[in-house]
Amino acid sequence: MFPNPQRQSRLEVEKILAPSTPAHLPGRLRRIPPPASLLPAAPATAGATGAWRPPPLYRRRGRRDFARSLTIINPEQMIEKAKGETAYLPCKFTVSDEDQGPLDIEWLLSPADNQKPDQVIILYSGDKIYVDYYQDLKGRVHFTSNDITSGDASINVTNLQLSDIGIYQCKVKKAPGVANKKVQLTVLVKPSGIRCFIDGSEEIGNDFKLKCEPKEGSLPLRYEWQKLSDSQKMPDSWLPEMTSPVISVKNATSEYSGTYSCTVRNRVGSDQCLLRLDVVPPSNRAGTIAGAIIGTLLALVLIGCIVFCCHKKRREEKYEKEVHHDIREDVPPPKSRTSTARSYIGSNHSSLGSMSPSNMEGYSKTLYNQVPSEDFERAPQSPTLPPAKVAAPNLSRMGAVPVMIPAQSKDGSIV
């Protein structure tokens, strides 16, 4: 076979350029075409443009060298975890012989709300690990490998919180190689604290609702109702609502009675609650209303009796108090106080000159009233001041008329 002149000329060019191209240069430098003077003329069968393409040898070497540079082998991904769990964020890398610089690894967090700038959460530099950068993750982020230089810069984020949601970026530097990859972390809340209850009266013929409400849980939530007792077959009228949080029961019958379960799920977990339904015959409402009325009337009567008794007792106490302090006119003075009464009356005899006979009776009663009784000695009394004495000349000027006081017996009666 005759040799191809075009192929032979290109091989000659490769022989000329191969020794002059250093092996350590990047592939893009080795792809520089040779001078036009060394290129043979394009044959008639060449392409329309007549452009020169580098030999296949150069292209293969360039790809091989590029693959040997620093690379993070993990693809970008999304990770979903439940609140309180631990999230593993991968970042594995490879280096080439050309990467001779110091190894620096940096993890950044871009918060989901985009209100804060990127935050450094952990750093490896100079064979040391630094973690006190982001207070919200302090003590909860760690490298998974004890030998990071082996090519594993993955981290664990423990006890996940809703504030940990965001985009995490792993940056690896080993001059001249640089690489980075992003991992999106989503923290969800498992359904928990589910409460099942009946809204309405569980009587035959009534309408009521079966409800299933979780206390917390990240959306979207999926609901599933099941009957656990008897035939375990749900009524046909309930089937459209088997995946909703509320089942509307119309014209209830005793066949609906039984134990039901409601399961709530989302992408990270599930929880369940049980409900006991007992459909009973209607109660005697007339009797219930009559009993309520009678009970109310009895309560009112009892309250009225209590008020009446209290009022009566207060009246009796008030009457006894008034009688106890009343001084009767027909009660004679005590015998032990006769001499005291006489001396008291005698000492005030001179002051009676101004009294008229018509005032005798009232004055004598006043004197006897001023004599303390034995019945009141026990009660404390304020001291009584003696009546003021008026001199005889003054009584005369005042128009007083001297009168005679009849004698009195020992019992105080007038003789």
Side-chain angles (χ1 to χ4, degrees), residues 348-356 395 399-403:
N348 291 281
H349 185 274
S350 60
S351 63
L352 298 177
S354 61
M355 303 294 291
S356 61
L395 291 174
V401 179
V403 296

Side-chain angles (χ1 to χ4, degrees), residues 293-369:
I293 294 175
I294 293 173
T296 304
L297 293 176
L298 291 176
L300 293 175
V301 171
L302 180 60
I303 294 173
C305 292
I306 294 174
V307 172
F308 175 77
C309 293
C310 293
H311 181 66
K312 183 178 179 181
K313 186 176 181 180
R314 289 183 61 184
R315 288 183 61 186
E316 291 177 354
E317 292 177 354
K318 183 177 181 181
Y319 177 76
E320 292 177 357
K321 186 176 180 180
E322 291 177 352
V323 171
H324 183 71
H325 291 286
D326 188 18
I327 302 177
R328 299 176 58 183
E329 296 181 357
D330 56 348
V331 177
K335 296 180 180 181
S336 59
R337 297 291 184 177
T338 304
S339 58
T340 305
R342 288 181 178 179
S343 61
Y344 182 80
I345 295 172
S347 62
N348 291 281
H349 185 274
S350 60
S351 63
L352 298 177
S354 61
M355 303 294 291
S356 61
S358 60
N359 296 332
M360 283 292 295
E361 184 179 357
Y363 186 77
S364 62
K365 294 179 180 180
T366 304
L367 293 177
Y368 283 118
N369 291 339

Side-chain angles (χ1 to χ4, degrees), residues 199-211:
D199 184 7
S201 178
E202 310 169 50
E203 295 181 353
I204 295 177
N206 284 358
D207 298 341
F208 53 85
K209 296 180 180 180
L210 308 182
K211 293 187 176 182

Side-chain angles (χ1 to χ4, degrees), residues 237-295:
S237 59
W238 296 8
L239 295 179
E241 299 178 325
M242 293 296 295
T243 57
S244 66
V246 179
I247 293 181
S248 299
V249 180
K250 304 291 184 181
N251 192 18
T253 64
S254 58
E255 298 178 355
Y256 294 169
S257 299
T259 302
Y260 296 85
S261 70
C262 175
T263 304
V264 184
R265 293 186 175 90
N266 62 7
R267 293 196 295 267
V268 293
S270 63
D271 198 5
Q272 186 183 65
C273 67
L274 300 178
L275 175 66
R276 177 64 188 178
L277 175 62
D278 294 316
V279 182
V280 297
S283 59
N284 188 1
R285 297 183 179 179
T288 303
I289 295 173
I293 294 175
I294 293 173

